[in-house]
Amino acid sequence: MLESAHALLEHAIDYAGLFPPAALGMTEAAANYARYLGGEHSWMLGRFIVTAQQFHELENVLIANAVTTPWHIAALTGTDVAGAIPAILAFNAHTRDAAVDSLEAKAATPDAIRESASTIPEGFTTWFEIPADPDPAPLIEAIAEVRCGAKIRTGGTTADAFPGPEHIARFIGRCDNAHVPFKATAGLHHALRGLHPLSYEPDSPAGTMHGFLNVLLAAAFRWSGTSAAETTDILTEQEPLFRFARKGVVWHDRWISTAQIRSARDRLIASFGSCSFEEPAADLKQRGLL
């Protein structure tokens, strides 16, 4: 395992098996997460993602399976953050080896971000999912003001759910300028950008999907000083033009060190949500990075 790849991917994949296109039941999704926690690639695994309405079901599954390995959980609250807090606090009080330590909210205006942030107790890392277009600068500035993180939706089960590379690049640049960390979600099943089926249905239409290596490396290179145009170019790469070495990654004539990658992961790009953990791992194996 190359040190640079490990730095880029460590705890990078938040498991969202409950959500489309996988849309698994709680029992199956929780069993998968427990298996991944005990597997050889557990170092890539991030949080288990669940809605605030599903805590009772999750609690029952955890009790039934006598979970002992600590689970870190991200709770999706939607726009009603205040309404979700009691269920989150109750879950944390009732469970011994699992805890919600991250909230993922939605907001469309700076005032909504400020209002929601004012209701969140201390001790939670909070991410606000915001639109990538139009220019999200005012929203990201409000997120910086309340010392939270931003979240971008990078895909879905229909072609129109995927923002253009230029919109993702602008989002990354705005976060970098405002010193706001971000996470991405949806559509990031494959390492590199390319044409893939949009769901797991046999007759699924295909569409161009963003690659999780593209997004992670676009953020890491941006952190090291690449321009907006270069960030867009990294997001559009469809060939394996990223060369991983022990001490860093090369893209064309640009280089970032492993130390810069770690800094970018800590300060700019936190993780990405995926309804599959095995699919990204298999893609990385195929490319010789695992």
Side-chain angles (χ1 to χ4, degrees):
M1 184 72 214
L2 292 170
E3 186 180 353
S4 58
H6 192 282
L8 188 70
L9 295 163
E10 187 172 15
H11 300 306
I13 307 175
D14 292 328
Y15 181 56
L18 293 168
F19 303 91
L24 302 178
M26 180 64 74
T27 299
E28 186 177 0
N32 284 347
Y33 188 74
R35 180 161 50 87
Y36 303 148
L37 276 176
E40 63 175 320
H41 303 312
S42 60
W43 60 272
M44 291 196 303
L45 188 63
R47 289 171 173 80
F48 183 75
I49 301 179
V50 63
T51 68
Q53 292 75 30
Q54 294 171 306
F55 283 133
H56 181 68
E57 188 180 3
L58 175 58
E59 186 177 346
N60 289 339
V61 169
L62 293 173
I63 293 171
N65 290 277
V67 168
T68 56
T69 302
W71 284 36
H72 297 281
I73 298 171
L76 303 186
T77 69
T79 57
D80 185 13
V81 179
I85 295 298
I88 292 167
L89 295 178
F91 177 85
N92 283 352
H94 294 161
T95 56
R96 185 182 65 181
D97 294 303
V100 176
D101 57 6
S102 179
L103 309 181
E104 299 186 14
K106 288 186 177 183
T109 67
D111 285 343
I113 290 167
R114 297 184 187 102
E115 181 179 353
S116 291
S118 70
T119 69
I120 299 170
E122 291 185 6
F124 293 99
T125 300
T126 303
W127 309 89
F128 281 99
E129 181 181 327
I130 58 175
D133 192 48
D135 190 342
L139 297 171
I140 291 172
E141 289 167 6
I143 291 170
E145 179 185 322
V146 297
R147 298 185 179 182
C148 292
K151 177 181 170 184
I152 182 172
R153 186 161 292 273
T154 47
T157 56
T158 59
D160 60 358
F162 290 78
E166 68 282 2
H167 293 150
I168 299 177
R170 182 177 61 189
F171 178 92
I172 293 172
R174 297 291 188 244
C175 287
D176 182 38
N177 292 340
H179 306 292
V180 168
F182 77 93
K183 67 167 297 184
T185 191
L188 297 175
H189 298 189
H190 302 278
L192 293 177
R193 179 179 170 86
L195 186 67
H196 301 284
L198 296 177
S199 77
Y200 298 128
E201 298 299 323
D203 57 350
S204 170
T208 300
M209 303 176 74
H210 299 292
F212 60 84
L213 285 184
N214 297 80
V215 174
L216 291 170
L217 287 171
F221 273 97
R222 173 71 191 206
W223 179 256
S224 71
T226 55
S227 66
E230 289 172 315
T231 304
T232 302
D233 288 344
I234 292 170
L235 289 165
T236 59
E237 293 286 18
Q238 297 191 40
E239 298 296 327
L241 297 178
F242 307 113
R243 288 183 288 145
F244 285 80
R246 182 175 65 84
K247 294 185 177 181
V249 177
V250 177
W251 172 67
H252 293 293
D253 61 345
R254 302 299 297 263
W255 158 269
I256 50 173
S257 69
T258 298
Q260 287 173 310
I261 292 170
R262 288 199 180 97
S263 181
R265 285 294 317 283
D266 184 50
R267 303 292 184 88
L268 185 57
I269 172 66
S271 62
F272 66 94
S274 173
C275 73
S276 173
F277 183 74
E278 295 175 16
E279 199 169 16
D283 208 341
L284 291 168
K285 277 187 177 181
Q286 184 179 3
R287 299 179 184 281
L289 291 175
L290 284 184

